[in-house]
């Protein structure tokens, strides 16, 4: 029996297109089915994060993975699409366009620290006084900042890099090296290196590691064992995979799988 999927459509709205008489408003949902959201934009800023599981947000050729440790700030009016696997507990905080200032002009990762999580959860208390709510909102705005760590993959689109991108995304465990690809494509390794830098802003090795991390997050979110995930994404041992995963996501694979 196939997996039930759901597609949702939302409108494209510009910054401030609708009156948003709030500072911060929260939303949460446990996704019942594998779900995709068509391209849309909001009149307010939003912070996307998850209580459990993983989801993705796509802006142009950039794909972010969102986890309990790494959220994503989406400025008002940014056209984006997304997806989430069944069982993901989504958390979103909406920030009023006229009452708050965006922390970035473009989408940017945000570390969901224990303090930020507690503050956002406190705003969900309907019994908060106006004074307490205003104080908590001010604290959220004070601690909210871009993170240098993110689960982001820029998808190459050139004819040169497309075969590499398709192969690695189809099989993140693909062990072909830069030299292997250069020989297969009939170009120099330096040509591929320059193309990756120009199109993705990173090296072949780092791009491959990011694709592997995104794939690993998706498998762990679906309940795969850590050892099986490590093998699937091309690591020789679970310990090597665990160290790489923690550097990228801020969580150990076991902790993420249990969240």
């Amino acid at each position: 029996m196939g997996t039930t999927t759901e597609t949702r459509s939302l409108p494209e709205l510009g910054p401030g297109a609708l009156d948003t008489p709030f500072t911060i408003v929260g939303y949460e949902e446990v996704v019942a089915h594998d779900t995709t959201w068509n391209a849309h934009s909001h009149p307010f800023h939003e912070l996307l994060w998850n209580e459990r599981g993983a989801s993705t947000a796509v802006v142009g050729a950039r794909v972010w993975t969102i986890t309990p440790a790494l959220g994503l700030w989406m400025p008002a009016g940014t056209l984006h699409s997304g997806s989430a696997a069944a069982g993901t507990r989504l958390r979103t905080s909406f920030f009023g366009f006229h009452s708050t200032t965006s922390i970035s002009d473009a989408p940017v990762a945000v570390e969901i620290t224990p303090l930020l999580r507690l503050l956002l959860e406190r705003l969900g208390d309907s019994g908060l006084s106006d004074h307490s709510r205003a104080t908590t909102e001010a604290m959220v705005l004070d601690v909210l900042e871009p993170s240098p760590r993110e689960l982001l993959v820029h998808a190459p689109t050139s004819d040169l890099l497309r075969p590499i991108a398709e192969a690695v995304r189809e099989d993140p465990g693909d062990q072909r090296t830069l030299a292997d690809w250069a020989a297969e494509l009939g170009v120099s390794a330096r040509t591929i290196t320059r193309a990756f830098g120009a199109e993705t802003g990173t090296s072949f090795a780092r791009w491959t590691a990011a694709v592997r991390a995104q794939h690993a997050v998706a498998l762990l979110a679906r309940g795969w064992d850590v050892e099986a995930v490590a093998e699937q994404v091309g690591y020789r041992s679970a310990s090597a995979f665990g160290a790489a995963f923690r550097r990228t996501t801020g969580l150990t694979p076991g902790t993420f799988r249990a969240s």
Side-chain angles (χ1 to χ4, degrees):
M1 188 172 180
T3 302
T4 302
T5 60
E6 178 181 351
T7 300
R8 302 185 190 181
S9 296
L10 293 171
E12 297 179 22
L13 297 173
L18 297 179
D19 183 31
T20 52
F22 57 81
T23 301
I24 304 174
V25 171
Y27 170 81
E28 62 180 286
E29 174 188 359
V30 177
V31 179
H33 311 291
D34 288 355
T35 302
T36 59
W37 286 262
N38 289 340
H40 61 281
S41 55
H42 304 290
F44 38 72
H45 313 300
E46 64 175 344
L47 175 63
L48 305 166
W49 59 291
N50 298 330
E51 187 72 31
R52 180 182 68 240
S55 56
T56 62
V58 181
V59 178
R62 295 169 294 171
V63 182
W64 282 269
T65 294
I66 300 161
T67 73
L70 281 174
L72 182 67
W73 177 266
M74 191 71 67
T78 303
L79 191 66
H80 61 285
S81 57
S83 64
T88 303
R89 183 181 290 274
L90 303 174
R91 298 289 296 269
T92 304
S93 298
F94 303 119
F95 292 72
F97 179 71
H98 296 294
S99 55
T100 62
T101 300
S102 182
I103 64 171
S104 172
D105 293 332
V108 65
V110 172
E111 184 177 357
I112 307 300
T113 63
L115 174 58
L116 179 56
R117 180 189 299 268
L118 285 172
L119 292 171
L120 293 173
E121 290 177 347
R122 187 168 192 256
L123 289 176
D125 181 356
S126 59
L128 277 183
S129 67
D130 291 344
H131 174 74
S132 293
R133 178 170 299 278
T135 300
T136 305
E137 288 172 339
M139 293 177 69
V140 169
L141 297 173
D142 184 54
V143 302
L144 194 63
E145 62 181 2
S147 170
R149 187 175 68 241
E150 58 186 352
L151 269 170
L152 168 64
V153 170
H154 291 256
T157 57
S158 68
D159 290 340
L160 173 63
L161 297 186
R162 189 178 296 115
I164 302 176
E166 290 177 351
V168 176
R169 299 200 72 164
E170 179 68 24
D171 176 17
D174 193 312
Q175 295 295 311
R176 279 175 284 188
T177 65
L178 187 61
D180 293 333
W181 278 112
E184 187 168 327
L185 298 175
V187 298
S188 69
R190 180 174 295 181
T191 296
I192 295 178
T193 297
R194 283 199 302 263
F196 260 101
E199 292 189 43
T200 71
T202 191
S203 67
F204 167 76
R206 289 182 177 177
W207 184 87
T208 301
V211 172
R212 287 177 170 177
Q214 286 194 338
H215 194 67
V217 163
L219 296 179
L220 290 167
R222 291 183 180 276
W224 280 46
D225 291 333
V226 173
E227 292 78 9
V229 174
E231 181 179 355
Q232 183 73 14
V233 298
Y235 287 90
R236 298 181 185 277
S237 68
S239 60
F241 164 63
F245 188 87
R246 184 165 189 171
R247 282 195 302 270
T248 305
T249 67
L251 295 172
T252 65
T255 300
F256 178 84
R257 188 171 180 273
S259 64

